[in-house]
PDB file of all heavy atoms in Angstrom:
ATOM      1  N   GLU A 264      10.839  40.776 -12.455  1.00  0.00           N
ATOM      2  CA  GLU A 264      11.908  41.776 -12.631  1.00  0.00           C
ATOM      3  C   GLU A 264      12.295  41.910 -14.103  1.00  0.00           C
ATOM      4  O   GLU A 264      13.478  42.086 -14.452  1.00  0.00           O
ATOM      5  CB  GLU A 264      13.141  41.404 -11.790  1.00  0.00           C
ATOM      6  CG  GLU A 264      12.871  41.296 -10.306  1.00  0.00           C
ATOM      7  CD  GLU A 264      12.532  42.648  -9.652  1.00  0.00           C
ATOM      8  OE1 GLU A 264      11.365  43.075  -9.771  1.00  0.00           O
ATOM      9  OE2 GLU A 264      13.420  43.248  -9.045  1.00  0.00           O
ATOM     10  N   GLU A 265      11.299  41.857 -14.970  1.00  0.00           N
ATOM     11  CA  GLU A 265      11.557  41.828 -16.412  1.00  0.00           C
ATOM     12  C   GLU A 265      12.295  43.066 -16.912  1.00  0.00           C
ATOM     13  O   GLU A 265      13.177  42.966 -17.769  1.00  0.00           O
ATOM     14  CB  GLU A 265      10.252  41.658 -17.184  1.00  0.00           C
ATOM     15  CG  GLU A 265      10.454  41.542 -18.684  1.00  0.00           C
ATOM     16  CD  GLU A 265       9.192  41.194 -19.437  1.00  0.00           C
ATOM     17  OE1 GLU A 265       8.106  41.174 -18.820  1.00  0.00           O
ATOM     18  OE2 GLU A 265       9.281  40.935 -20.647  1.00  0.00           O
ATOM     19  N   ALA A 266      11.947  44.241 -16.394  1.00  0.00           N
ATOM     20  CA  ALA A 266      12.595  45.470 -16.866  1.00  0.00           C
ATOM     21  C   ALA A 266      14.099  45.413 -16.624  1.00  0.00           C
ATOM     22  O   ALA A 266      14.900  45.754 -17.505  1.00  0.00           O
ATOM     23  CB  ALA A 266      11.987  46.685 -16.172  1.00  0.00           C
ATOM     24  N   ASP A 267      14.498  44.965 -15.440  1.00  0.00           N
ATOM     25  CA  ASP A 267      15.925  44.866 -15.131  1.00  0.00           C
ATOM     26  C   ASP A 267      16.593  43.792 -15.979  1.00  0.00           C
ATOM     27  O   ASP A 267      17.758  43.947 -16.388  1.00  0.00           O
ATOM     28  CB  ASP A 267      16.125  44.551 -13.648  1.00  0.00           C
ATOM     29  CG  ASP A 267      15.825  45.748 -12.750  1.00  0.00           C
ATOM     30  OD1 ASP A 267      15.639  46.855 -13.286  1.00  0.00           O
ATOM     31  OD2 ASP A 267      15.774  45.567 -11.521  1.00  0.00           O
ATOM     32  N   CYS A 268      15.875  42.722 -16.247  1.00  0.00           N
ATOM     33  CA  CYS A 268      16.420  41.658 -17.094  1.00  0.00           C
ATOM     34  C   CYS A 268      16.634  42.150 -18.524  1.00  0.00           C
ATOM     35  O   CYS A 268      17.636  41.817 -19.167  1.00  0.00           O
ATOM     36  CB  CYS A 268      15.486  40.446 -17.090  1.00  0.00           C
ATOM     37  SG  CYS A 268      15.361  39.606 -15.492  1.00  0.00           S
ATOM     38  N   GLN A 269      15.715  42.951 -19.017  1.00  0.00           N
ATOM     39  CA  GLN A 269      15.831  43.493 -20.365  1.00  0.00           C
ATOM     40  C   GLN A 269      17.025  44.435 -20.470  1.00  0.00           C
ATOM     41  O   GLN A 269      17.776  44.398 -21.454  1.00  0.00           O
ATOM     42  CB  GLN A 269      14.546  44.245 -20.747  1.00  0.00           C
ATOM     43  CG  GLN A 269      13.330  43.363 -20.982  1.00  0.00           C
ATOM     44  CD  GLN A 269      13.306  42.734 -22.372  1.00  0.00           C
ATOM     45  OE1 GLN A 269      14.169  42.993 -23.213  1.00  0.00           O
ATOM     46  NE2 GLN A 269      12.311  41.900 -22.615  1.00  0.00           N
ATOM     47  N   VAL A 270      17.227  45.281 -19.462  1.00  0.00           N
ATOM     48  CA  VAL A 270      18.342  46.227 -19.484  1.00  0.00           C
ATOM     49  C   VAL A 270      19.673  45.482 -19.461  1.00  0.00           C
ATOM     50  O   VAL A 270      20.609  45.826 -20.199  1.00  0.00           O
ATOM     51  CB  VAL A 270      18.254  47.211 -18.297  1.00  0.00           C
ATOM     52  CG1 VAL A 270      19.546  48.015 -18.166  1.00  0.00           C
ATOM     53  CG2 VAL A 270      17.069  48.145 -18.475  1.00  0.00           C
ATOM     54  N   LEU A 271      19.783  44.458 -18.623  1.00  0.00           N
ATOM     55  CA  LEU A 271      21.040  43.718 -18.533  1.00  0.00           C
ATOM     56  C   LEU A 271      21.449  43.148 -19.885  1.00  0.00           C
ATOM     57  O   LEU A 271      22.629  43.192 -20.260  1.00  0.00           O
ATOM     58  CB  LEU A 271      20.914  42.582 -17.518  1.00  0.00           C
ATOM     59  CG  LEU A 271      22.172  41.715 -17.368  1.00  0.00           C
ATOM     60  CD1 LEU A 271      23.303  42.498 -16.719  1.00  0.00           C
ATOM     61  CD2 LEU A 271      21.874  40.444 -16.596  1.00  0.00           C
ATOM     62  N   ASN A 272      20.489  42.636 -20.638  1.00  0.00           N
ATOM     63  CA  ASN A 272      20.794  41.998 -21.921  1.00  0.00           C
ATOM     64  C   ASN A 272      20.293  42.795 -23.117  1.00  0.00           C
ATOM     65  O   ASN A 272      19.997  42.232 -24.174  1.00  0.00           O
ATOM     66  CB  ASN A 272      20.216  40.580 -21.946  1.00  0.00           C
ATOM     67  CG  ASN A 272      21.140  39.581 -21.274  1.00  0.00           C
ATOM     68  OD1 ASN A 272      22.329  39.518 -21.576  1.00  0.00           O
ATOM     69  ND2 ASN A 272      20.595  38.804 -20.346  1.00  0.00           N
ATOM     70  N   GLU A 273      20.244  44.136 -22.975  1.00  0.00           N
ATOM     71  CA  GLU A 273      19.747  44.958 -24.076  1.00  0.00           C
ATOM     72  C   GLU A 273      20.610  44.811 -25.327  1.00  0.00           C
ATOM     73  O   GLU A 273      20.105  44.873 -26.450  1.00  0.00           O
ATOM     74  CB  GLU A 273      19.642  46.419 -23.656  1.00  0.00           C
ATOM     75  CG  GLU A 273      20.962  47.068 -23.260  1.00  0.00           C
ATOM     76  CD  GLU A 273      20.772  48.478 -22.714  1.00  0.00           C
ATOM     77  OE1 GLU A 273      19.613  48.921 -22.564  1.00  0.00           O
ATOM     78  OE2 GLU A 273      21.791  49.142 -22.423  1.00  0.00           O
ATOM     79  N   ALA A 274      21.907  44.608 -25.157  1.00  0.00           N
ATOM     80  CA  ALA A 274      22.790  44.454 -26.316  1.00  0.00           C
ATOM     81  C   ALA A 274      22.525  43.128 -27.026  1.00  0.00           C
ATOM     82  O   ALA A 274      22.468  43.075 -28.261  1.00  0.00           O
ATOM     83  CB  ALA A 274      24.249  44.536 -25.877  1.00  0.00           C
ATOM     84  N   PHE A 275      22.350  42.070 -26.262  1.00  0.00           N
ATOM     85  CA  PHE A 275      22.037  40.764 -26.843  1.00  0.00           C
ATOM     86  C   PHE A 275      20.710  40.816 -27.594  1.00  0.00           C
ATOM     87  O   PHE A 275      20.597  40.312 -28.717  1.00  0.00           O
ATOM     88  CB  PHE A 275      21.984  39.713 -25.737  1.00  0.00           C
ATOM     89  CG  PHE A 275      21.400  38.393 -26.165  1.00  0.00           C
ATOM     90  CD1 PHE A 275      22.122  37.513 -26.961  1.00  0.00           C
ATOM     91  CD2 PHE A 275      20.115  38.021 -25.768  1.00  0.00           C
ATOM     92  CE1 PHE A 275      21.585  36.297 -27.363  1.00  0.00           C
ATOM     93  CE2 PHE A 275      19.578  36.809 -26.159  1.00  0.00           C
ATOM     94  CZ  PHE A 275      20.305  35.943 -26.959  1.00  0.00           C
ATOM     95  N   VAL A 276      19.709  41.444 -26.985  1.00  0.00           N
ATOM     96  CA  VAL A 276      18.397  41.559 -27.622  1.00  0.00           C
ATOM     97  C   VAL A 276      18.504  42.349 -28.924  1.00  0.00           C
ATOM     98  O   VAL A 276      17.947  41.958 -29.958  1.00  0.00           O
ATOM     99  CB  VAL A 276      17.384  42.231 -26.668  1.00  0.00           C
ATOM    100  CG1 VAL A 276      16.069  42.522 -27.396  1.00  0.00           C
ATOM    101  CG2 VAL A 276      17.123  41.349 -25.454  1.00  0.00           C
ATOM    102  N   HIS A 277      19.239  43.467 -28.891  1.00  0.00           N
ATOM    103  CA  HIS A 277      19.399  44.292 -30.097  1.00  0.00           C
ATOM    104  C   HIS A 277      20.085  43.495 -31.196  1.00  0.00           C
ATOM    105  O   HIS A 277      19.708  43.574 -32.378  1.00  0.00           O
ATOM    106  CB  HIS A 277      20.207  45.545 -29.770  1.00  0.00           C
ATOM    107  CG  HIS A 277      20.336  46.493 -30.925  1.00  0.00           C
ATOM    108  ND1 HIS A 277      19.374  47.417 -31.246  1.00  0.00           N
ATOM    109  CD2 HIS A 277      21.309  46.627 -31.863  1.00  0.00           C
ATOM    110  CE1 HIS A 277      19.750  48.100 -32.315  1.00  0.00           C
ATOM    111  NE2 HIS A 277      20.918  47.631 -32.716  1.00  0.00           N
ATOM    112  N   ARG A 278      21.109  42.751 -30.846  1.00  0.00           N
ATOM    113  CA  ARG A 278      21.831  41.940 -31.830  1.00  0.00           C
ATOM    114  C   ARG A 278      20.901  40.928 -32.496  1.00  0.00           C
ATOM    115  O   ARG A 278      20.915  40.745 -33.710  1.00  0.00           O
ATOM    116  CB  ARG A 278      22.985  41.209 -31.130  1.00  0.00           C
ATOM    117  CG  ARG A 278      23.699  40.203 -32.013  1.00  0.00           C
ATOM    118  CD  ARG A 278      24.755  39.397 -31.257  1.00  0.00           C
ATOM    119  NE  ARG A 278      25.235  38.321 -32.104  1.00  0.00           N
ATOM    120  CZ  ARG A 278      26.191  38.450 -33.019  1.00  0.00           C
ATOM    121  NH1 ARG A 278      26.782  39.627 -33.179  1.00  0.00           N
ATOM    122  NH2 ARG A 278      26.556  37.446 -33.765  1.00  0.00           N
ATOM    123  N   ILE A 279      20.057  40.278 -31.695  1.00  0.00           N
ATOM    124  CA  ILE A 279      19.132  39.263 -32.225  1.00  0.00           C
ATOM    125  C   ILE A 279      18.069  39.904 -33.110  1.00  0.00           C
ATOM    126  O   ILE A 279      17.776  39.430 -34.209  1.00  0.00           O
ATOM    127  CB  ILE A 279      18.463  38.485 -31.075  1.00  0.00           C
ATOM    128  CG1 ILE A 279      19.492  37.623 -30.328  1.00  0.00           C
ATOM    129  CG2 ILE A 279      17.326  37.628 -31.596  1.00  0.00           C
ATOM    130  CD1 ILE A 279      20.090  36.500 -31.133  1.00  0.00           C
ATOM    131  N   VAL A 280      17.499  41.002 -32.641  1.00  0.00           N
ATOM    132  CA  VAL A 280      16.365  41.632 -33.338  1.00  0.00           C
ATOM    133  C   VAL A 280      16.805  42.382 -34.594  1.00  0.00           C
ATOM    134  O   VAL A 280      16.151  42.315 -35.641  1.00  0.00           O
ATOM    135  CB  VAL A 280      15.605  42.580 -32.386  1.00  0.00           C
ATOM    136  CG1 VAL A 280      14.528  43.356 -33.137  1.00  0.00           C
ATOM    137  CG2 VAL A 280      14.987  41.791 -31.237  1.00  0.00           C
ATOM    138  N   HIS A 281      17.951  43.096 -34.519  1.00  0.00           N
ATOM    139  CA  HIS A 281      18.362  43.983 -35.611  1.00  0.00           C
ATOM    140  C   HIS A 281      19.543  43.458 -36.423  1.00  0.00           C
ATOM    141  O   HIS A 281      19.898  44.057 -37.447  1.00  0.00           O
ATOM    142  CB  HIS A 281      18.697  45.366 -35.054  1.00  0.00           C
ATOM    143  CG  HIS A 281      17.532  46.067 -34.406  1.00  0.00           C
ATOM    144  ND1 HIS A 281      16.531  46.660 -35.128  1.00  0.00           N
ATOM    145  CD2 HIS A 281      17.200  46.232 -33.106  1.00  0.00           C
ATOM    146  CE1 HIS A 281      15.642  47.189 -34.297  1.00  0.00           C
ATOM    147  NE2 HIS A 281      16.021  46.939 -33.073  1.00  0.00           N
ATOM    148  N   GLY A 282      20.171  42.379 -35.986  1.00  0.00           N
ATOM    149  CA  GLY A 282      21.295  41.834 -36.738  1.00  0.00           C
ATOM    150  C   GLY A 282      22.519  42.722 -36.730  1.00  0.00           C
ATOM    151  O   GLY A 282      23.319  42.721 -37.662  1.00  0.00           O
ATOM    152  N   ARG A 283      22.685  43.492 -35.654  1.00  0.00           N
ATOM    153  CA  ARG A 283      23.835  44.376 -35.477  1.00  0.00           C
ATOM    154  C   ARG A 283      24.184  44.457 -34.001  1.00  0.00           C
ATOM    155  O   ARG A 283      23.303  44.288 -33.150  1.00  0.00           O
ATOM    156  CB  ARG A 283      23.521  45.797 -35.952  1.00  0.00           C
ATOM    157  CG  ARG A 283      23.830  46.089 -37.402  1.00  0.00           C
ATOM    158  CD  ARG A 283      23.667  47.572 -37.647  1.00  0.00           C
ATOM    159  NE  ARG A 283      23.905  47.947 -39.033  1.00  0.00           N
ATOM    160  CZ  ARG A 283      23.852  49.183 -39.479  1.00  0.00           C
ATOM    161  NH1 ARG A 283      23.534  50.167 -38.640  1.00  0.00           N
ATOM    162  NH2 ARG A 283      24.085  49.457 -40.741  1.00  0.00           N
ATOM    163  N   PRO A 284      25.440  44.778 -33.677  1.00  0.00           N
ATOM    164  CA  PRO A 284      25.759  45.032 -32.268  1.00  0.00           C
ATOM    165  C   PRO A 284      25.028  46.271 -31.756  1.00  0.00           C
ATOM    166  O   PRO A 284      24.592  47.114 -32.534  1.00  0.00           O
ATOM    167  CB  PRO A 284      27.276  45.262 -32.284  1.00  0.00           C
ATOM    168  CG  PRO A 284      27.754  44.636 -33.556  1.00  0.00           C
ATOM    169  CD  PRO A 284      26.630  44.820 -34.536  1.00  0.00           C
ATOM    170  N   PHE A 285      24.930  46.368 -30.456  1.00  0.00           N
ATOM    171  CA  PHE A 285      24.329  47.501 -29.774  1.00  0.00           C
ATOM    172  C   PHE A 285      25.396  48.586 -29.639  1.00  0.00           C
ATOM    173  O   PHE A 285      26.498  48.330 -29.159  1.00  0.00           O
ATOM    174  CB  PHE A 285      23.842  47.051 -28.398  1.00  0.00           C
ATOM    175  CG  PHE A 285      23.139  48.089 -27.579  1.00  0.00           C
ATOM    176  CD1 PHE A 285      21.798  48.368 -27.787  1.00  0.00           C
ATOM    177  CD2 PHE A 285      23.814  48.772 -26.570  1.00  0.00           C
ATOM    178  CE1 PHE A 285      21.138  49.305 -27.012  1.00  0.00           C
ATOM    179  CE2 PHE A 285      23.170  49.711 -25.788  1.00  0.00           C
ATOM    180  CZ  PHE A 285      21.824  49.978 -26.009  1.00  0.00           C
ATOM    181  N   GLY A 286      25.080  49.810 -30.073  1.00  0.00           N
ATOM    182  CA  GLY A 286      26.063  50.884 -30.068  1.00  0.00           C
ATOM    183  C   GLY A 286      25.826  51.900 -28.970  1.00  0.00           C
ATOM    184  O   GLY A 286      24.701  52.362 -28.754  1.00  0.00           O
ATOM    185  N   ILE A 287      26.894  52.239 -28.257  1.00  0.00           N
ATOM    186  CA  ILE A 287      26.858  53.274 -27.218  1.00  0.00           C
ATOM    187  C   ILE A 287      27.823  54.385 -27.616  1.00  0.00           C
ATOM    188  O   ILE A 287      28.998  54.123 -27.889  1.00  0.00           O
ATOM    189  CB  ILE A 287      27.270  52.724 -25.838  1.00  0.00           C
ATOM    190  CG1 ILE A 287      26.374  51.551 -25.426  1.00  0.00           C
ATOM    191  CG2 ILE A 287      27.212  53.831 -24.777  1.00  0.00           C
ATOM    192  CD1 ILE A 287      26.832  50.851 -24.167  1.00  0.00           C
ATOM    193  N   LEU A 288      27.345  55.610 -27.676  1.00  0.00           N
ATOM    194  CA  LEU A 288      28.203  56.762 -27.953  1.00  0.00           C
ATOM    195  C   LEU A 288      28.545  57.431 -26.630  1.00  0.00           C
ATOM    196  O   LEU A 288      27.661  57.851 -25.886  1.00  0.00           O
ATOM    197  CB  LEU A 288      27.498  57.757 -28.877  1.00  0.00           C
ATOM    198  CG  LEU A 288      28.219  59.089 -29.114  1.00  0.00           C
ATOM    199  CD1 LEU A 288      29.561  58.874 -29.803  1.00  0.00           C
ATOM    200  CD2 LEU A 288      27.340  60.035 -29.924  1.00  0.00           C
ATOM    201  N   LYS A 289      29.844  57.506 -26.342  1.00  0.00           N
ATOM    202  CA  LYS A 289      30.317  58.144 -25.113  1.00  0.00           C
ATOM    203  C   LYS A 289      31.137  59.372 -25.465  1.00  0.00           C
ATOM    204  O   LYS A 289      31.984  59.330 -26.345  1.00  0.00           O
ATOM    205  CB  LYS A 289      31.169  57.154 -24.318  1.00  0.00           C
ATOM    206  CG  LYS A 289      31.610  57.644 -22.935  1.00  0.00           C
ATOM    207  CD  LYS A 289      32.793  58.607 -22.903  1.00  0.00           C
ATOM    208  CE  LYS A 289      34.037  58.068 -23.531  1.00  0.00           C
ATOM    209  NZ  LYS A 289      35.170  59.093 -23.472  1.00  0.00           N
ATOM    210  N   TYR A 290      30.859  60.488 -24.803  1.00  0.00           N
ATOM    211  CA  TYR A 290      31.709  61.660 -24.983  1.00  0.00           C
ATOM    212  C   TYR A 290      31.705  62.493 -23.711  1.00  0.00           C
ATOM    213  O   TYR A 290      30.824  62.363 -22.858  1.00  0.00           O
ATOM    214  CB  TYR A 290      31.280  62.496 -26.187  1.00  0.00           C
ATOM    215  CG  TYR A 290      29.859  63.017 -26.157  1.00  0.00           C
ATOM    216  CD1 TYR A 290      29.523  64.169 -25.452  1.00  0.00           C
ATOM    217  CD2 TYR A 290      28.859  62.365 -26.875  1.00  0.00           C
ATOM    218  CE1 TYR A 290      28.220  64.645 -25.440  1.00  0.00           C
ATOM    219  CE2 TYR A 290      27.552  62.831 -26.865  1.00  0.00           C
ATOM    220  CZ  TYR A 290      27.239  63.979 -26.149  1.00  0.00           C
ATOM    221  OH  TYR A 290      25.956  64.450 -26.135  1.00  0.00           O
TER     222      TYR A 290
END
């Protein structure tokens, strides 16, 4: 179930890989 695991922690992964928080734009 890797795809679902990646989505759940996409923000954590982005933080580790890019050195920034994961940003969501809502409007």
Side-chain angles (χ1 to χ4, degrees):
E264 301 292 80
E265 183 172 7
D267 287 351
C268 294
Q269 289 279 357
V270 169
L271 179 69
N272 277 309
E273 62 186 4
F275 168 74
V276 172
H277 184 84
R278 173 185 171 84
I279 292 294
V280 174
H281 297 284
R283 270 189 182 182
F285 183 82
I287 303 173
L288 173 63
K289 186 281 302 179
Y290 59 82

